[in-house]
Amino acid sequence: MKALVTGGAGFIGSNLVDRLVDMNWEVVVIDNETADCNEEFYWNSNADNHKLDICDYEFTKNLYDGVDYVFHLAAESRIQPAILNPIEAVTKNCVGTCTVLQCSREAGVKKVIYSSTSSGYGFNESPNHENQPDDCLNPYSVSKVAGEKLCKMYNDLFGLKTVIFRYFNVYGERSPIKGQYAPVIGIFLRQLKDNEPLTIVGDGEQRRDFTHVSDVVQANILAAIKDVNDEFYGGLYNVGNGINYSINEIANTISENQINIPPRIGESRTTLANNNKIKTVFEWEPRVNIKEWVSLELVK
């Protein structure tokens, strides 16, 4: 098997690349190292690595030749930076996704697995299910949901099989820890290590469905290798545990040294996945619980 992973030197992407390499797949990686909250990037020396922009059709199109599966993870992947720079977010997430899809189509790729976000549900009542209407609260979710529409269109119009994943609050090994907008679990562990107070946004009672990166990797692999009926392509699938915890609950398991900082605009109060669809179609099951994982991290 040959795979191409966009964003393959970043958090989720590098974990996926390592897993594919371990499975003896041939892997091509595209990453331009522009994710601001990454302190470092993780290039697997056994992959075919290219520091390029996914938006650059002319420089990247030949890399898709002979590829069976494309895992599209490259993105502007944070809400607050996208609010500060909507044009950058739309360029990366819309133009970039269209370029990936067009290159995949021209190369005869079997499937494209697209990484999207649970923030597309906005203020919809939880648990979120795939039939709920979009409710985009910020430029990030607008641009990622636009990418979903492109995936569905390429599936329906051009016959390029696509699978669209909405991730719920991914955490785990190699999580970004740089700056105030990195994922909260990474920030908390960094602050604990540096003997700093944990910075809790707002009152800390917002609830999140935390999903471990290894479970996300497994969802991607299953979507690639499992043969399903055509009706299941071009659609959404939630990748979440189906359990949520308040930020205060998680913070209290890490440190009593805490401060509250002002709430942020454009963010939902609760995330919680209904994951029945992905369990049924791709036989995926989440395996890692956030509280158990944090407990193990604290004794390392």
Side-chain angles (χ1 to χ4, degrees):
M1 294 294 181
K2 184 175 182 179
L4 186 148
V5 182
T6 72
F11 168 32
I12 302 173
S14 68
N15 278 279
L16 175 59
V17 169
D18 287 358
R19 177 76 179 278
L20 293 172
V21 168
D22 287 344
M23 293 168 61
N24 294 317
W25 284 35
E26 184 180 352
V27 183
V28 179
V29 175
I30 300 174
D31 198 305
N32 65 356
E33 295 190 349
T34 60
D36 290 340
C37 56
N38 286 18
E39 281 202 326
E40 62 179 302
F41 294 87
Y42 304 90
W43 296 94
N44 189 306
S45 60
N46 291 314
D48 179 16
N49 297 310
H50 301 269
K51 187 177 177 182
L52 293 168
D53 190 328
I54 57 167
C55 296
D56 196 328
Y57 170 79
E58 292 297 334
F59 277 89
T60 59
K61 63 179 181 179
N62 291 337
L63 299 179
Y64 292 76
D65 291 344
V67 168
D68 297 296
Y69 304 108
V70 169
F71 301 92
H72 179 31
L73 294 106
E76 171 52 73
S77 57
R78 303 285 170 252
I79 290 175
Q80 298 302 321
I83 290 174
L84 295 173
N85 194 342
I87 294 174
E88 181 75 7
V90 169
T91 300
K92 287 182 180 179
N93 297 343
C94 297
V95 177
T97 297
C98 190
T99 305
V100 169
L101 290 165
Q102 183 61 23
C103 290
S104 299
R105 175 195 172 200
E106 292 175 359
V109 167
K110 294 176 182 176
K111 296 182 190 179
V112 175
I113 294 91
Y114 173 65
S115 295
S116 191
T117 172
S118 63
S119 65
Y121 291 117
F123 290 136
N124 274 293
E125 184 178 355
S126 64
N128 297 125
H129 59 82
E130 291 87 350
N131 291 327
Q132 287 178 327
D134 300 328
D135 183 27
C136 297
L137 308 178
N138 51 69
Y140 167 60
S141 56
V142 167
S143 62
K144 290 299 290 183
V145 168
E148 295 176 358
K149 308 302 183 189
L150 285 166
C151 287
K152 186 176 188 313
M153 183 271 288
Y154 267 80
N155 183 90
D156 296 349
L157 183 64
F158 299 127
L160 173 64
K161 291 181 179 179
T162 60
V163 177
I164 302 161
F165 283 147
R166 284 191 173 180
Y167 299 154
F168 283 71
N169 305 97
V170 185
Y171 72 97
E173 292 76 15
R174 300 178 182 171
S175 177
I177 59 174
K178 183 179 175 184
Q180 60 178 317
Y181 301 132
V184 65
I185 303 302
I187 289 179
F188 281 174
L189 294 176
R190 182 198 74 202
Q191 290 169 334
L192 176 68
K193 179 181 177 182
D194 294 341
N195 295 314
E196 298 174 354
L198 309 188
T199 51
I200 298 173
V201 175
D203 63 7
E205 286 304 301
Q206 58 271 39
R207 302 185 70 84
R208 298 290 181 258
D209 187 337
F210 292 104
T211 308
H212 192 264
V213 65
S214 65
D215 288 328
V216 172
V217 166
Q218 182 65 8
N220 276 268
I221 292 171
L222 289 173
I225 65 176
K226 281 193 170 292
D227 289 324
V228 299
N229 292 336
D230 287 349
E231 64 188 279
F232 295 116
Y233 293 112
L236 294 175
Y237 297 87
N238 290 336
V239 183
N241 266 15
I243 304 169
N244 64 11
Y245 299 96
S246 73
I247 300 301
N248 286 331
E249 284 180 87
I250 301 302
N252 290 339
T253 67
I254 296 174
S255 172
E256 296 180 354
N257 184 13
Q258 304 171 5
I259 60 172
N260 292 81
I261 61 176
R264 294 172 179 164
I265 62 171
E267 297 187 4
S268 61
R269 188 72 174 167
T270 301
T271 68
L272 179 62
N274 177 322
N275 56 18
N276 290 335
K277 186 177 178 183
I278 189 173
K279 287 181 175 181
T280 301
V281 175
F282 293 113
E283 300 179 340
W284 174 86
E285 290 284 346
R287 298 174 181 173
V288 184
N289 176 273
I290 176 66
K291 284 192 171 182
E292 295 173 0
W293 184 85
V294 166
S295 297
L296 291 173
E297 287 296 301
L298 295 178
V299 298
K300 284 184 178 180

